[in-house]
Amino acid sequence: MTDNLPMVSVMLAALLASMGVSVLACAVALTFFPWFRSGERKEGAPDQSTGGFRAVVRGGRGGRRSWVVRSSELPLLGGVAMLVAIAAACIGAGIFLNFSDSDWMVVGILLGAMGGFGLIGFVDDWHKVSKGHGISEIAKGGTVLVVATVAAVAMNRLLPSARFAYSPYSQIPGLGDLLRHTHYAWVFFFILIAILVTTTTSLAVDFTDGLDGLAGGTLLSAALSFAVIALSESTQLVWPTSLILLTMVGALIGYLPFNWPSSWKGRAQGQGKRRARLIMGDTGSLALGGLLALAALYMRLESLLLFVGGVFVLEGVSAVISARILVKFFRRYLALPRFAAEKTFPHTEFPVPFLGTPMHHHYDLLDFDRKRLVYAAWTLGAGLGLLGIASTISPFTWERYLARLVALAVILIVWQTGPWTRGFFIGPVRRVGEAATMPPRLGLFYGFPYRLFGRPLHSCRDVVDVSDEVLASPAERLGLWQRMSVFDARATLGYYCYRAGNFRDARRIWERIPSGNLQVRPDIKAMLDELVARAHLDAEVTGEPRSGGRDEDPDSGFGAGAWGAPPGVANRQSPRSWPTDASDDGSDDAIAGASVDARDWRKSPGWPDSATAYSAPGEQPAPSTTPPAFHGMSGVGVQDVPPRYGELPAGYGEAPRMGALVEDPPPAPAPTTRPASPAAHGGFGAPWPADTHLRPTRLYPVNPDDISASDSAPPPLWSVAGWAAASAGEHPPRPDSEPGGTGADDPTEPPFAGSPPPAGR
């Protein structure tokens, strides 16, 4: 190794040169080509793409031009900058080291293949910039296959290391003798292996490049691991490969500051600003993935890619198994009895292992912090790289096999975290330091409802302002801590909020369900549509703003107005736009990221006509002609359905109908007792008194010390005796929450589940 110090020093100098050229090229790309951004509509990442890129050039001071780019996508030239840096540093170092013809042959084949893969990626990026979509998957995969085939044939015919059969293939019983003694058997076998390894690695790296810094950091650890292994060899045959790998490391180090991860998410979902200013695009991901695979093939360590490139394996395999195999199989043969009446249903309802693929989309949809997610992937890649190095340079055989076994176990455990975190459940949750006498609120969890060694195997993702006392039947209480899909969990939790009168949380929770998954839950969709329509009618009558982005009110998730923006308007919560496969309906405006003008919200399908929704000031409201049907939902105003144990009589506690909101409404008479039957309010379909407006409310806990023990004191509203007293008309009217109330808050009683919310709160 001492004799090789000058060579190693020159290679390290080439690494620094590659890093400097990469930084310079990235800066030049940002300065002169800021318009080279994708206009592609991304189904799985609506916060990063508007689906309609436009670059406007404006004159600046002193005749300078300034770019106004209407897209949250970043310039796609990071890959071009890295390829220029790698090629320049390799050629310069090769000239300085006076490479032989065989060394130049290795460098030429690897750099030529890198250029071929990069050209395919650049054409794809150019199509995204100029036409708004990339080349087809068939064209992309086919051209990658062609470049991989040419590189494999060149390696087998021109490089001695790939001309003859080597271990472990030559030692496989039966196959080894065939490869060693049969004419042209090894040629065809090596070409097939090289095509498979190169194509899959290149595309897997392309799949991984979905979050800022994710592909760059994992490529860095993988290339550095193979470079360390190559430098540990005493033969000079691998020095050209070592040089290429080290220059690749330098180019990635220079690129990462321009693509550093952050917690940023579009549409006010994340924390802080986006630190990345450049992405590598398909040019960089395809080229660097193919270059890494060919370097491993030349070193005869292609099997080590399974461990060193474990992150790429997880990303690629998750996309292939889930999206390309299971979804297509289930779409043709799977039948879910609960959706028997539906001709089709979203693929996210299938029993696939991940919510979205590639794998990083699964955790992004679970609202993992993006920066921490990328850092975790970097740590995983670095750990697998160390295990890969140990499995190659360890002096003992058992150490090598142990390192590979540990790496395989780590990969399998990480894979299994997808199905583990896919299940959601509803459970009670308390704030830190909250008194045990306070009723716990309901929360949304993912994971398993267990504790192992005192540590929970689940995590809370959302909490609503509704206590577990809203659960009205033993069946609902038994439903706690039971794993279900995220869509069923959100639908159920939102229904509990709706029934308790907490319409703000109900709408917020339901709007996190993708539109396709709402379509197969028509009852939930009908209630959500009614809430949204009522909110905007209420805003028009009262003069309150209709917009109100989610970033204006971080506690509630809505803006300063009473409600958020209508579907399709800016500030829409982007988790409605979860990834869909090609066969799913992607026409939702929220998925497309389209911005619908607030003045045109009535033109959207499903919105009521304002002419029939309410009348002019001073006139009686016109009755609504299309009331939503809540089939099978007790406690929300269903006719002729007997109330279950612990629930309100049908028709009581209904929120005002869409046609019941007018300007300056006349006062309604104040009832003296709680209605004993739906007829007291006209049943379902009769408008609620016009002085009641739809407002979100909260459940306030009761202090037992404040409740009098005298016979004249009414029982608590949520108790069994309270339900009986309410049905018998013995309970006094609730202040501020019932028609004709006094308007004063009663701190000793929570708002009644299902009652109309207090006006003005």
Side-chain angles (χ1 to χ4, degrees):
M1 193 69 183
T2 305
D3 299 336
N4 299 332
L5 285 179
M7 179 74 73
V8 174
S9 301
V10 173
M11 290 183 180
L12 294 179
L15 184 151
L16 297 177
S18 175
M19 181 173 61
V21 174
S22 179
V23 171
L24 180 61
C26 288
V28 169
L30 279 176
T31 303
F32 295 99
F33 305 98
W35 51 268
F36 199 81
R37 308 189 184 204
S38 172
E40 184 182 26
R41 168 184 164 181
K42 292 185 177 180
E43 302 288 359
D47 61 326
Q48 298 183 30
S49 176
T50 61
F53 163 76
R54 285 193 301 170
V56 182
V57 183
R58 295 178 179 174
R61 296 181 179 178
R64 298 170 60 186
R65 290 183 173 183
S66 61
W67 296 88
V68 180
V69 182
R70 296 179 180 176
S71 174
S72 55
E73 276 284 359
L74 300 177
L76 300 169
L77 293 171
V80 176
M82 287 189 287
L83 299 192
V84 170
I86 293 172
C90 282
I91 294 174
I95 294 174
F96 185 84
L97 293 173
N98 195 20
F99 272 179
S100 62
D101 293 341
S102 59
D103 293 336
W104 281 117
M105 186 67 68
V106 176
V107 173
I109 291 175
L110 296 186
L111 292 184
M114 180 190 72
F117 289 122
L119 180 61
I120 298 170
F122 185 80
V123 171
D124 188 47
D125 291 338
W126 179 260
H127 273 252
K128 294 176 183 177
V129 174
S130 60
K131 299 182 179 181
H133 60 83
I135 60 177
S136 65
E137 292 185 356
I138 296 178
K140 186 176 181 179
T143 50
V144 168
L145 192 65
V146 170
V147 174
T149 303
V150 173
V153 173
M155 289 184 66
N156 183 261
R157 295 290 89 193
L158 301 176
L159 302 181
S161 64
R163 193 172 300 172
F164 304 101
Y166 53 82
S167 177
Y169 312 112
S170 61
Q171 313 229 341
I172 299 177
L175 180 62
D177 295 336
L178 179 66
L179 297 177
R180 288 195 305 267
H181 304 299
T182 304
H183 199 49
Y184 290 115
W186 170 250
V187 175
F188 291 108
F189 183 81
F190 176 82
I191 292 175
L192 290 176
I193 290 294
I195 292 173
L196 177 64
V197 172
T198 307
T199 303
T200 54
T201 304
S202 180
L203 294 176
V205 175
D206 189 36
F207 289 148
T208 308
D209 189 28
L211 295 177
D212 294 337
L214 181 58
T218 49
L219 273 171
L220 175 61
S221 60
L224 186 59
S225 299
F226 277 105
V228 171
I229 295 173
L231 290 174
S232 65
E233 299 288 338
S234 58
T235 176
Q236 297 183 2
L237 293 176
V238 296
W239 283 0
T241 311
S242 304
L243 175 63
I244 289 178
L245 290 170
L246 287 175
T247 55
M248 181 177 170
V249 170
L252 287 165
I253 294 176
Y255 159 76
L256 276 178
F258 296 89
N259 191 240
W260 198 259
S262 59
S263 301
W264 174 88
K265 285 188 180 183
R267 306 192 180 188
Q269 298 178 72
Q271 302 293 328
K273 297 182 179 179
R274 190 176 190 180
R275 299 186 59 182
R277 294 293 177 266
L278 201 67
I279 57 178
M280 67 172 65
D282 286 3
T283 305
S285 58
L286 291 177
L288 297 184
L291 180 62
L292 181 67
L294 290 174
L297 278 166
Y298 179 76
M299 297 168 60
R300 298 183 176 183
L301 294 174
E302 61 270 18
S303 60
L304 197 62
L305 279 171
L306 295 174
F307 307 111
V308 175
V311 176
F312 308 131
V313 173
L314 290 169
E315 296 277 5
V317 172
S318 65
V320 171
I321 290 181
S322 184
R324 299 303 178 189
I325 297 178
L326 291 180
V327 167
K328 293 184 179 297
F329 177 81
F330 289 151
R331 189 167 296 285
R332 184 170 183 178
Y333 300 106
L334 183 68
L336 298 182
R338 63 179 297 188
F339 301 140
E342 301 291 338
K343 294 182 179 180
T344 183
F345 41 87
H347 76 280
T348 46
E349 302 286 350
F350 297 156
V352 291
F354 303 99
L355 293 174
T357 56
M359 195 173 182
H360 63 267
H361 279 309
H362 170 83
Y363 299 102
D364 192 30
L365 293 174
L366 289 175
D367 291 333
F368 274 61
D369 183 87
R370 287 185 172 181
K371 181 172 65 175
R372 295 183 179 181
L373 179 60
V374 174
Y375 286 168
W378 287 2
T379 304
L380 176 63
L384 292 175
L386 292 175
L387 291 173
I389 295 173
S391 68
T392 305
I393 66 176
S394 295
F396 299 103
T397 303
W398 68 269
E399 292 177 337
R400 300 182 181 183
Y401 281 102
L402 179 62
R404 296 176 186 178
L405 183 62
V406 172
L408 181 61
V410 170
I411 293 174
L412 292 178
I413 290 174
V414 174
W415 172 275
Q416 194 60 32
T417 58
W420 285 345
T421 56
R422 192 178 189 274
F424 279 68
F425 61 90
I426 300 173
V429 62
R430 296 182 185 275
R431 290 178 178 175
V432 177
E434 194 172 42
T437 57
M438 305 281 283
R441 296 184 295 168
L442 294 179
L444 185 70
F445 298 81
Y446 73 84
F448 283 93
Y450 310 129
R451 286 182 177 270
L452 185 63
F453 300 113
R455 299 191 62 84
L457 301 182
H458 52 265
S459 178
C460 183
R461 304 312 301 170
D462 205 340
V463 180
V464 297
D465 288 333
V466 172
S467 72
D468 63 347
E469 293 169 340
V470 73
L471 305 177
S473 67
E476 291 179 348
R477 291 196 171 274
L478 289 174
L480 297 180
W481 303 99
Q482 300 299 319
R483 280 166 55 89
M484 63 186 80
S485 72
V486 61
F487 316 112
D488 288 335
R490 289 196 180 277
T492 305
L493 184 60
Y495 170 63
Y496 291 155
C497 296
Y498 184 95
R499 195 174 63 186
N502 190 343
F503 303 111
R504 182 186 296 269
D505 274 342
R507 181 183 172 186
R508 178 178 62 84
I509 294 296
W510 283 339
E511 284 193 336
R512 300 290 303 273
I513 304 175
S515 59
N517 302 90
L518 271 176
Q519 293 291 338
V520 296
R521 295 167 176 83
D523 296 322
I524 301 299
K525 185 178 184 301
M527 286 186 278
L528 175 60
D529 291 342
E530 185 189 17
L531 288 182
V532 175
R534 286 173 175 173
H536 289 279
L537 291 176
D538 189 20
E540 286 202 350
V541 171
T542 60
E544 295 178 357
R546 280 199 307 265
S547 58
R550 296 179 181 273
D551 52 338
E552 299 175 10
D553 189 358
D555 294 332
S556 64
F558 285 85
W563 303 94
V569 179
N571 298 326
R572 182 79 178 273
Q573 184 84 354
S574 69
R576 284 289 293 274
S577 310
W578 284 16
T580 57
D581 61 3
S583 58
D584 286 336
D585 183 16
S587 60
D588 189 8
D589 288 338
I591 295 179
S595 178
V596 180
D597 193 277
R599 295 170 296 180
D600 299 332
W601 63 271
R602 298 185 191 89
K603 300 178 182 179
S604 302
W607 290 94
D609 186 1
S610 59
T612 60
Y614 61 95
S615 305
E619 298 180 4
Q620 290 297 327
S624 174
T625 57
T626 56
F630 303 141
H631 303 289
M633 290 291 186
S634 60
V636 293
V638 183
Q639 288 190 6
D640 302 326
V641 178
R644 295 184 296 177
Y645 175 79
E647 289 191 350
L648 280 172
Y652 181 79
E654 295 173 2
R657 299 208 38 239
M658 286 188 287
L661 299 175
V662 297
E663 296 182 0
D664 301 323
T672 57
T673 59
R674 187 182 298 275
S677 67
H681 285 287
F684 179 68
W688 190 266
D691 63 335
T692 302
H693 291 277
L694 190 64
R695 290 292 187 275
T697 186
R698 294 170 180 260
L699 282 176
Y700 296 94
V702 173
N703 186 353
D705 298 333
D706 296 336
I707 301 177
S708 174
S710 62
D711 296 336
S712 60
L717 279 173
W718 58 85
S719 65
V720 177
W723 293 103
S727 300
E730 300 173 0
H731 202 287
R734 281 192 40 77
D736 192 43
S737 64
E738 289 186 356
T742 61
D745 288 332
D746 184 359
T748 64
E749 253 181 65
F752 199 73
S755 63
R761 180 175 289 170

